Amino acid sequence: MDLVGQVGDTLTPQDPAERLSKLRVELLPIDLIVQWRRCSKMADFLAGYFEYHFEDRPVAAQVLSTGLNELIENLAKFSANKQKPVSIEINHYGELLTVTTENEAARPQTTALRARLARMATTDPEELFLEQLEHTASSDRAASGLGLINLKKDYGARLAAEIRAVPDDPERFVVSLQLELNVDAIERG
Amino acid sequence: MSVEAEYKLEMRADGATLSGVMRLVSPAAYRSALAAVHDQIDAATGPLELDLAGLQFLNSSGITALSRLVMQARERSVTMTVIIDEQVSWQKKTLPSLARLYPKLTLKGR
Ligand SMILES: Nc1ncnc2c1ncn2[C@@H]1O[C@H](COP(=O)(O)OP(=O)(O)OP(=O)(O)O)[C@@H](O)[C@H]1O
Ligand SMILES: [Mg+2]
């Protein structure tokens, strides 16, 4: 199967002129692996930076940190080359907040991500959540596989990825993962 | 790997209290961190209480780990109460879904 292309939920097109804030960070996955707590620290920092847009700042910070931490952990775990920079970009558009991460991944991880996002786009997240827990428990797998499902279930996040080929390496792909959250879901907590 | 602890686990006669921030790297890391709770469920002769109210953050690997505790209680038919804080977003959202795994698990606000 060709992995390249767009997969997941349909995201809302945004007008850059409507953008209120933007922040983009580049880092090396190896730094996160060496000090795992950096995932959490980076998530908290970014959440703290964006919480000023929200009336209930503590609640918004909790929600944003939770979502960002999952995506940052994934960058650490699933980047194929831990010494190659990955990026996190956050944009705030009044009604919506988007988080885009970009990394290179090997074929198996990219295949798993594609399958997961495709399934998530058509299946009730609560059902997927319970199914995934029973599945991990019975197979005693090392991976937990719950992060993206949980963001969709708890905060109504929309998730999609654009997968591109890496020139000259048929086993590597560029994964651009996008998470879209409604501002009122962030406010509600 | 960092060994600084951001969370605290306190064992009590009839349960355990987890607090702080728990964002460990993998389900295996949670397995060792929560070994004492697994042992307690294994040995339980009565109901247990798991107090999570002070747990500000738990990542999704941790939610999987928590579900393993719940499933172990389910297997041994150990009645379980989980103390939660409704002000903490992940607790309000995730724990009711987890409770659906096991009818003898009750959530209680602190
Ligand atoms: N940035 C990424 N690049 C490549 N593959 C990814 C990326 N993020 C996720 N994946 C793939 O999608 C799967 C699902 O991701 P998800 O975050 O839901 O679960 P997980 O990270 O395996 O476990 P958990 O998040 O519960 O600790 C992963 O197992 C991985 O194969
Ligand atoms: Mg993950």
Side-chain angles (χ1 to χ4, degrees), chain A residues 70 73-74 77-78 147, chain B residues 60:
Chain A
E70 292 302 330
E73 288 190 2
N74 283 355
K77 290 191 288 187
F78 305 121
Chain B
S60 56

Side-chain angles (χ1 to χ4, degrees), chain B residues 31-75:
Chain B
R31 174 62 83 166
S32 23
L34 299 176
V37 187
H38 280 289
D39 291 348
Q40 189 176 47
I41 297 172
D42 243 347
T45 51
L48 293 179
E49 185 188 273
L50 185 59
D51 186 346
L52 301 180
L55 194 57
Q56 202 197 342
F57 287 116
L58 184 70
N59 66 4
S60 56
S61 294
I63 290 160
T64 294
L66 213 52
S67 80
R68 291 195 167 166
L69 292 175
V70 172
M71 287 182 206
Q72 190 191 353
R74 180 175 75 181
E75 230 158 79

Side-chain angles (χ1 to χ4, degrees), chain A residues 37 62 70 144 153-155, chain B residues 4 6 60 64 89 94 97:
Chain A
R37 281 185 60 196
Q62 280 184 44
E70 292 302 330
S144 135
K153 179 183 81 66
D154 286 357
Y155 304 109
Chain B
E4 293 168 78
E6 286 197 300
S60 56
T64 294
S89 173
T94 303
S97 303

Side-chain angles (χ1 to χ4, degrees), chain A residues 35-37 40 62 65-66 69-70 73 126 129-130 133-134 136-137 140-142 144 146-147 150 153-155 188-189, chain B residues 1-2 4 6 23-25 27 57 59-61 63-64 67-68 71 74 87-90 92-94 97-98 100-101:
Chain A
Q35 287 293 340
W36 187 250
R37 281 185 60 196
S40 183
Q62 280 184 44
S65 176
T66 296
N69 185 65
E70 292 302 330
E73 288 190 2
E126 180 85 26
F129 177 88
L130 295 172
L133 288 182
E134 297 283 0
T136 346
D140 210 43
R141 285 160 18 117
S144 135
L146 204 64
N150 208 42
K153 179 183 81 66
D154 286 357
Y155 304 109
R188 269 198 313 271
Chain B
M1 205 66 61
S2 170
E4 293 168 78
E6 286 197 300
R23 285 171 164 173
L24 306 186
V25 66
F57 287 116
N59 66 4
S60 56
S61 294
I63 290 160
T64 294
S67 80
R68 291 195 167 166
M71 287 182 206
R74 180 175 75 181
Q87 303 294 102
V88 179
S89 173
W90 79 265
K92 180 177 75 177
K93 297 283 186 177
T94 303
S97 303
L98 216 54
R100 292 181 54 191
L101 289 171

Side-chain angles (χ1 to χ4, degrees), chain A residues 1-182:
Chain A
M1 183 186 71
D2 197 2
L3 288 176
V4 169
Q6 186 78 23
V7 60
D9 294 323
T10 309
L11 304 180
T12 321
Q14 291 305 317
D15 177 0
E18 302 281 302
R19 183 163 61 190
L20 302 177
S21 306
K22 166 188 164 150
L23 184 63
R24 189 185 141 87
V25 175
E26 247 186 47
L27 52 84
L28 296 185
I30 186 73
D31 286 336
L32 305 177
I33 306 257
V34 169
Q35 287 293 340
W36 187 250
R37 281 185 60 196
R38 282 180 173 144
C39 295
S40 183
K41 288 212 161 147
M42 182 57 72
D44 284 346
F45 169 75
L46 296 172
Y49 188 92
F50 278 87
E51 72 175 46
Y52 297 101
H53 286 289
F54 301 90
E55 235 162 77
D56 192 340
R57 280 168 49 192
V59 165
Q62 280 184 44
V63 174
L64 293 173
S65 176
T66 296
L68 286 161
N69 185 65
E70 292 302 330
L71 299 186
I72 294 168
E73 288 190 2
N74 283 355
L75 286 173
K77 290 191 288 187
F78 305 121
S79 289
N81 179 348
K82 308 290 189 215
Q83 259 121 335
K84 185 159 188 168
V86 298
S87 65
I88 309 152
E89 181 174 318
I90 306 170
N91 285 288
H92 180 79
Y93 297 93
E95 297 304 306
L96 286 179
L97 187 132
T98 64
V99 183
T100 309
T101 63
E102 194 162 294
N103 62 289
E104 274 186 27
R107 183 178 290 273
Q109 284 71 32
T110 311
T111 308
L113 177 70
R114 204 189 158 90
R116 171 56 52 90
L117 289 176
R119 180 106 203 277
M120 279 172 59
T122 57
T123 314
D124 172 44
E126 180 85 26
E127 187 185 315
L128 271 182
F129 177 88
L130 295 172
E131 180 187 299
Q132 181 66 22
L133 288 182
E134 297 283 0
H135 171 74
T136 346
S138 64
S139 61
D140 210 43
R141 285 160 18 117
S144 135
L146 204 64
L148 301 179
I149 294 171
N150 208 42
L151 292 181
K152 188 155 193 183
K153 179 183 81 66
D154 286 357
Y155 304 109
R158 292 172 295 283
L159 279 150
E162 186 197 330
I163 299 167
R164 302 191 300 273
V166 171
D168 303 326
D169 192 344
E171 294 307 307
R172 290 266 168 105
F173 300 87
V174 178
V175 171
S176 175
L177 184 74
Q178 199 170 343
L179 170 89
E180 188 178 283
L181 285 165
N182 289 347

